[in-house]
Amino acid sequence: MHFISQELEDYIEQHSEKEPALLAALNKETYQKILLPRMLSGHFQGRVLSMLSKLIRPVNILEIGTYTGYSALCLCEGMQETGQLHTIDIKEELVDFQRKHFDKSPWGKQIFQHLGEAIDIIPTLDLKFDLVFIDADKENYSNYFELIVPKMNKGGIILSDNVLWSGKVLEPLQPNDLSTKVLLEYNKSLATDPRVETVLLPIRDGLTVSRVL
């Protein structure tokens, strides 16, 4: 997942906005208690998500893939006072962990957790979204995107994480590697989809920013 040296990554973090104390505590507890802590957005990407949200000033935010709630809290930093963040995850064992940290934040009552398959839950959300963050099972990225686009306000932003997939998008495709195959198709689709304008940023494991036209 490291496309630049660790020293350069450290320098970037040192010269970016500091990680808020609430998120630093969540980061630490995730590494202490939860499996696969590398899934956490972390300091630098978290500050990128926060900055994008502050620029967009969304009312309604949708997140697909909550994990321990770090990215959700980053996205809330730019949310308008009347806004809502809806976050979807399939792991029941993380719900209480997420809620504990959500309730420590200023946005606890504005964050709505949904447990189950995003494919089933997204159609039930009767909202228009200004900002969406896709960070879940890669095999369904295209399905999520198609469900989301009709629910976006014009000018809304769809963020897609892990689109460089640890550099596998440049390697020979293995016959049984469905995730890489889907991401290759997804990246190509977003670059040519007339409904959005897209830029792929080499942030962490790749972050695509798509603006709905």
Side-chain angles (χ1 to χ4, degrees):
M1 193 180 292
H2 292 277
F3 297 107
I4 59 176
S5 69
Q6 186 62 55
E7 291 79 9
L8 195 53
E9 285 193 7
D10 292 342
Y11 181 87
I12 290 169
E13 286 194 7
Q14 291 163 12
H15 293 81
S16 298
E17 192 71 17
K18 294 191 182 304
E19 186 178 40
L22 173 66
L23 290 172
L26 172 51
N27 195 333
K28 182 178 180 180
E29 189 171 354
T30 297
Y31 272 84
Q32 289 174 335
K33 299 179 180 180
I34 307 298
L35 292 174
L36 302 174
R38 70 192 291 268
M39 290 173 57
L40 193 91
S41 289
H43 176 192
F44 173 60
Q45 186 178 15
R47 291 305 86 206
V48 172
L49 296 177
S50 170
M51 182 67 76
L52 289 171
S53 184
K54 288 170 182 173
L55 291 170
I56 297 162
R57 294 292 292 143
V59 175
N60 293 320
I61 304 171
L62 173 63
E63 177 184 54
I64 304 172
T66 316
Y67 190 47
T68 56
Y70 190 100
S71 53
L73 291 172
C74 293
L75 295 169
C76 281
E77 291 180 29
M79 184 171 62
Q80 294 190 32
E81 290 183 6
T82 58
Q84 298 180 359
L85 181 141
H86 291 260
T87 184
I88 305 170
D89 206 284
I90 61 171
K91 294 184 178 178
E92 185 175 2
E93 65 272 20
L94 293 178
V95 170
D96 292 341
F97 185 97
Q98 298 159 4
R99 177 48 59 185
K100 178 180 72 172
H101 290 279
F102 290 160
D103 287 345
K104 291 179 181 178
S105 79
W107 311 285
K109 294 181 179 179
Q110 296 167 266
I111 299 175
F112 298 87
Q113 295 162 282
H114 301 270
L115 181 64
E117 297 287 347
I119 289 289
D120 300 323
I121 293 170
I122 293 170
T124 71
L125 301 175
D126 188 20
L127 291 168
K128 284 285 191 176
F129 294 99
D130 306 295
L131 177 59
V132 174
F133 183 42
I134 305 175
D135 186 18
D137 54 314
K138 312 311 163 194
E139 292 86 349
N140 272 311
Y141 265 35
S142 294
N143 295 327
Y144 297 147
F145 188 82
E146 292 302 325
L147 288 172
I148 288 164
V149 170
K151 292 180 173 290
M152 295 297 296
N153 284 319
K154 185 176 180 180
I157 299 294
I158 301 172
L159 305 173
S160 307
D161 200 16
N162 303 117
V163 291
L164 295 180
W165 207 223
S166 299
K168 290 182 181 179
V169 292
L170 292 181
E171 298 173 0
L173 182 63
Q174 301 302 311
N176 61 344
D177 189 352
L178 179 59
S179 294
T180 301
K181 180 177 184 292
V182 169
L183 283 174
L184 286 167
E185 295 169 353
Y186 182 73
N187 291 341
K188 182 178 180 180
S189 174
L190 262 59
T192 57
D193 193 320
R195 297 171 296 177
V196 295
E197 54 181 354
T198 290
V199 60
L200 197 165
L201 304 176
I203 293 172
R204 200 163 175 257
D205 196 26
L207 180 70
T208 294
V209 181
S210 301
R211 177 177 175 270
V212 178
L213 301 175

